[in-house]
Every structure is written in C-alpha cells, then in structure tokens.
Amino acid sequence: MEIKKSPKADLKNKRGLLLEIGLVVSLLLVIGAFSYTPEEKRIEKVDLQAPIVEEQIVEITRQDQKPPETPRKVEVKVIADLLQVVTNDTKITTEVDFTEFDEDVDVVQTVGVVEEEVVEDDQPFLIAETMPSFQGGDLNTFRAWVQQNVRFPQIALENGIQGRVVLSFVIEKDGRLTNIQVLQTPDRSLSEEAVRVLSKSPKWTPGKQRNQVVRVKYTLPVDFRVQN
C-alpha cells in the first residue's frame, strides 16, 4: 500500500517562502548593524611640556659689620727718659745710712731654699715582677684558706640563696690585706661573710718591683654552694 502525504504537511511547498523570510531577516540585521553608531568618547591629549615656574630670588640679608675700632694709643716711656745721665765727675748721693752697720760685722746674704715634696706614686700594681705570696703559696693557696674558713650564713641557707662573691683587695708593703671591696654578690649576707674572713687574713709576703717593695691588687672569687 502506498503511503501518501497530505499537501498541508509537505514542507517542500513552503521552501521558497522560508528562504525569502530568512533573506529579509538577514538584510534587516545588516542594515541595523550599519545604522548603529556607538557613543563618541573624547580623549584629551596631555601636555607633556610643564610650565616653567619662575623662582623668586630672595636677597641674602647681611648684618652690618661694625667698623674696626681704632687702635688705642699706648704711651711708652723711653728708658733714656727715666735714667738720668751724668758725667763721671758728678757725685752721687744715696739715702742709705751706713752708720747703722758696724765695721766688724760681716754682712751675709741668706737665700732660703724650699725643698720640693717628693710625691710617690703609690698606686697598687696588678702584676709585679715578684708577686706576693701567702704562707709560701700563691693566690690559689689563699683562696683555699678562705673557702675553709667561710661559714654559710643561716639566713641565706633558709632562703635558698647561693652563688659567687667577687672581691678585690690590696696587699700592702708590710704584708697586710687592706681595701676590701665587693665587686659582685648575689646577696648581702654572703658578701659580709666573705669580707669578714678576708679581714682576718694573716700577713702576706709583699710583692717587689725592681727590688722595691710595692703594693699589689688582687681579685678573688668566693663560692657559696650548698652540697647535697
């Protein structure tokens, strides 16, 4: 059986009409595109040449200089005016009365001589040719003696205070230990104990520099440690 299409459903008959409609629409779009004009924008050109600014020259003010003072006139007396020139035959009289002097008395002129005080540089040495000795030993021997004689302060022990005290002292020419100074300490109670022991130090054998007895300065650390 042959199938037949309805003339209304056949699109081939309308192909020419659809083509014309498409051409008209395309033509309208082309005409509209050419007729559309975008908004104009103006671009200002920047002037690259900057205007020349004239600088105002300010005059330099100068202080009026005072004219130099006129030199003062100083009158100088000529020695010839002060001295009276006389001839050899002229007798010169003086106001000295020689009757006060006895002929048998010799006049002796005494000149006082002021003795200059000799100021000795008694500054202590830090290093001498022969350093002082303590009981036949050196500074380490003295430090061991100090550590054996110090007592841990009770107040520092209760508060858990311990550490190192650094002191300085001077060995005098006669072997005495003087000028004890505390340079560093963790607590006052520890430094007072260290100073107490150093002040009871026996005499040292003094140091020498060029066979001369001199003063020598030392620095000594004293440790306060709690041993478990």
Side-chain angles (χ1 to χ4, degrees):
M1 183 177 179
E2 185 180 358
I3 300 174
K4 293 184 180 180
K5 293 183 179 180
S6 173
K8 294 181 179 180
D10 191 4
L11 298 178
K12 293 182 179 180
N13 297 331
K14 300 180 180 179
R15 180 181 300 176
L17 180 61
L18 294 175
L19 180 60
E20 292 177 358
I21 293 173
L23 292 175
V24 172
V25 173
S26 301
L27 182 60
L28 292 175
L29 291 175
V30 172
I31 294 172
F34 280 104
S35 62
Y36 175 76
T37 56
E39 184 179 357
E40 294 181 358
K41 295 182 180 179
R42 295 182 179 180
I43 301 175
E44 296 182 358
K45 185 178 181 182
V46 180
D47 189 5
L48 299 178
Q49 294 181 355
I52 300 173
V53 179
E54 295 183 358
E55 295 182 358
Q56 185 178 0
I57 301 175
V58 181
E59 295 183 359
I60 300 173
T61 57
R62 297 181 179 179
Q63 298 180 355
D64 296 336
Q65 297 181 354
K66 296 181 180 181
E69 297 180 357
T70 56
R72 298 178 180 178
K73 294 182 179 180
V74 179
E75 296 182 359
V76 180
K77 294 183 179 181
V78 184
I79 298 177
D81 296 340
L82 300 178
L83 299 177
Q84 185 178 2
V85 181
V86 296
T87 59
N88 294 332
D89 300 335
T90 305
K91 293 183 180 181
I92 300 174
T93 59
T94 59
E95 298 179 355
V96 180
D97 189 5
F98 291 95
T99 58
E100 297 179 359
F101 299 96
D102 193 355
E103 295 179 358
D104 298 333
V105 177
D106 296 332
V107 178
V108 180
Q109 183 178 5
T110 59
V111 179
V113 179
V114 180
E115 296 182 358
E116 295 182 357
E117 296 182 358
V118 179
V119 180
E120 296 182 358
D121 188 7
D122 206 16
Q123 293 293 329
F125 285 78
L126 298 178
I127 299 176
E129 293 179 354
T130 303
M131 297 295 289
S133 62
F134 178 78
Q135 296 180 352
D138 54 3
L139 184 62
N140 293 327
T141 305
F142 178 68
R143 183 181 181 184
W145 179 86
V146 172
Q147 294 290 159
Q148 292 176 359
N149 287 274
V150 293
R151 299 177 182 177
F152 210 105
Q154 185 64 27
I155 185 172
L157 188 62
E158 293 175 355
N159 295 325
I161 300 173
Q162 58 182 344
R164 171 172 290 184
V165 179
V166 181
L167 305 101
S168 66
F169 56 90
V170 176
I171 303 301
E172 299 291 341
K173 296 179 180 180
D174 56 357
R176 293 180 299 109
L177 191 150
T178 61
N179 295 344
I180 302 174
Q181 295 180 357
V182 179
L183 304 180
Q184 180 181 351
T185 179
D187 188 71
R188 182 177 178 180
S189 59
L190 301 181
S191 60
E192 289 179 351
E193 175 63 16
V195 172
R196 182 190 68 82
V197 175
L198 262 68
S199 61
K200 295 184 178 180
S201 168
K203 284 191 175 184
W204 292 51
T205 301
K208 291 184 178 181
Q209 181 74 16
R210 297 179 181 177
N211 295 328
Q212 297 292 329
V213 180
V214 294
R215 305 169 69 217
V216 180
K217 186 175 183 179
Y218 277 116
T219 301
L220 178 72
V222 181
D223 293 325
F224 289 86
R225 304 290 180 185
V226 179
Q227 297 180 358
N228 296 328

